[in-house]
Amino acid sequence: MMLQVAMDTLELKQTLTGHRGRVWNVCWHPKGAYLASCGEDKTIIIWGLEGLKWVTKMILTEGHSRTIRELAWSPCGNYIASASFDATTAVWDRKSGQFECNATLEGHENEVKSVSWSISGQLLATCSRDKSVWVWEVNDDEYECAAVINAHTQDVKKVRWHPYEEILASASYDNTVKIFKEDAADSDWSCVATLSSHTSTVWSLSWDKIGNRIATCSDDKTVKIWREYKPENETGIPTPNNESVWKCICTLSGYHTRTIYDIDWCKITGLLVTACGDDIIRIFKEDSDCDPHQPSFTMIYSMDNAHAQDVNCVQWNPTIPGQFASASDDSLVKIWFYNYKE
Amino acid sequence: MNENLENINPKLYKRLNDREITVDEQDEDVADGFDAREIFDIIRNINDPEHPLTLEELNVVEQDLIEVDDKKNRVDIKFTPTIPHCSMATLIGLSIRVQLLRAIPARFKVSVEISPGTHVSEEAVNKWLQL
């Protein structure tokens, strides 16, 4: 009798060619039907499905004079913000039917590294090599700077809004992650927590589905999981100044052999995926019966030579569980599908 | 001009002889991988930012401080600033990086670091050079 063993598999669905030079970032449309990518060639490519094939739907050019480092679709899906080494952030809309750059946000002194929309679409955050994080308010297609936060001491690599609240997290070359909130009394944005434990640059971060945990990845070759302890938490962890305290509750070390450039926490499946300088894509799953204050994660898949060069970015499709996209120095974007058993 | 130099009188080192080309290397049908000597030849003639001398002549780069694993696509280079507080260290490291970026295939992961214990800001420079 043959015994059929169901195995987890990671399938490469398609390789998307079109960019010249490094591809820095990919971002899914909130409905998951489009993917945008950007890179060294200063263009944004929007990919969509035609039948079973991903094809180029649009190429956006002439918005930036230097590398486009990161992209973000607005939660409504009608806008794309792009962060560039030319020190500006462009906002593209499709009011005319085609995507056009109708706003350019200026102010950073140096390369803009990352951009993120809050869930309401009313706030936009950017960060830069100039060490600052900016919060922009969006009003009828006007963008007004609401705050310039100088909390980090080095290049800021990533900004990401909380999945539901107006709370911002940023990751930096200064090895820390910081959490920012607006003070209701004087509408001043300030740093309410500093997450220190990584021993080198923190390249990226991802909130979990609920927003009370953050996964971070670093040049120190580790992934860390952080948990928020609110004032008067049941665990009895003290919260000075009546502000939440963030604690590192898990460190994944020994898996990655080079810098980890990106991490994404799937809001549907809870799986973590990492992009590494060793060309490998890895998938981690939280162990089911672990203590929520001391969780453990198991690497359930490792794809060697996922790309021919550094993997810069990985992102789960927000609507199709198991599907994700990756971007690499090898100028390619790849679409993957992870089949897994519960 | 001279009083602006950080290291006015650097020690000079002897240059290596030219590489001897082997029969196999001349044979187009034999695949020859990269080795430390070949990488050394690519970077030895980079000029020092402040002296009209090469990195080899100043002993900033040495063949023995280059490790190459052609199969694993790795090139690890250690370089030695002429003085422990050399402000040109990052620029020198970057020049080595750019030279290799242009000269060897993109499959290689290049690491450029300061020889341990030879610079006061070794850690910060190394972190910066990882880019």
Side-chain angles (χ1 to χ4, degrees), chain B residues 68-85:
Chain B
V68 178
D69 189 328
D70 189 66
K71 287 204 176 62
K72 289 186 176 159
N73 299 324
R74 286 182 52 166
V75 174
D76 293 341
I77 293 170
K78 300 258 190 299
F79 70 100
T80 313
T82 54
I83 42 175
H85 51 272

Side-chain angles (χ1 to χ4, degrees), chain A residues 131-162:
Chain A
K131 307 170 189 176
S132 69
V133 171
W134 290 45
V135 178
W136 307 79
E137 269 172 19
V138 187
N139 287 307
D140 298 331
D141 291 342
E142 295 288 322
Y143 298 82
E144 202 178 317
C145 176
V148 175
I149 314 164
N150 288 301
H152 283 291
T153 59
Q154 295 285 347
D155 185 359
V156 190
K157 301 292 189 185
K158 196 70 77 179
V159 276
R160 287 289 178 263
W161 288 99
H162 184 282

Side-chain angles (χ1 to χ4, degrees), chain A residues 24-27 69-70 114 157-160 201-206 215-219 222-223 256 258-265 272-277 280-282 284 310-316 324-327:
Chain A
W24 283 119
N25 191 244
V26 285
C27 185
R69 187 63 178 86
E70 197 173 283
S114 177
K157 301 292 189 185
K158 196 70 77 179
V159 276
R160 287 289 178 263
T201 306
V202 189
W203 277 97
S204 190
L205 69 100
S206 184
T216 56
C217 64
S218 164
D219 180 55
T222 70
V223 165
H256 299 83
R258 284 182 174 267
T259 303
I260 314 165
Y261 291 113
D262 200 15
I263 186 160
D264 194 31
W265 206 330
L272 285 166
V273 62
T274 60
C276 187
I280 299 174
I281 290 174
R282 297 172 177 84
F284 297 85
D310 293 6
V311 190
N312 294 318
C313 176
V314 279
Q315 197 179 81
W316 295 102
F324 69 91
S326 62

Side-chain angles (χ1 to χ4, degrees), chain A residues 28-34 73-79 317-319:
Chain A
W28 292 97
H29 182 276
K31 293 208 169 73
Y34 295 100
W73 289 90
S74 62
C76 64
N78 293 326
Y79 299 85
N317 184 307
T319 59

